[in-house]
Amino acid sequence: MYARRRHVYFALMGTCIALFVLAWGVVRLWSVPVAVGMCVVAMVIPPLAAMVANRRGPDDRWWDDPSGDPKSDEWWDELDGKKRPRRQDRP
């Protein structure tokens, strides 16, 4: 899943760079307004690429990972309504 997001991110960023280079290297010779339009489109691509790269998939289980602090984990589990087996502090 991570590799697919990374490939899409690099494809979007490559498209962005290609639009900028083509706009001011080639297209401006025929039409400056079209070159400016291409740059506006290229300007929108990086935020979209960042959203794609940082999107969490259904396989990414980051929200329910334990933090390592047993007291905090117990508190969050209580808030989430999860039942955890209680430790026996007494012998």
Side-chain angles (χ1 to χ4, degrees), residues 17-86:
I17 291 171
L19 281 172
F20 272 118
V21 169
L22 286 173
W24 296 114
V26 178
V27 176
R28 74 169 169 88
L29 300 173
W30 289 279
S31 175
V32 172
V34 172
V36 170
M38 288 173 67
C39 285
V40 169
V41 170
M43 181 180 66
V44 174
I45 293 175
L48 293 175
M51 285 186 262
V52 166
N54 291 317
R55 182 182 65 217
R56 298 288 180 181
D59 297 337
D60 298 335
R61 303 291 303 222
W62 59 272
W63 61 87
D64 60 355
D65 287 343
S67 66
D69 179 19
K71 186 119 175 127
S72 175
D73 291 340
E74 184 179 330
W75 184 76
W76 280 108
D77 287 343
E78 181 181 335
L79 285 178
D80 290 339
K82 294 180 182 175
K83 298 286 186 191
R84 292 181 67 187
R86 296 185 60 79

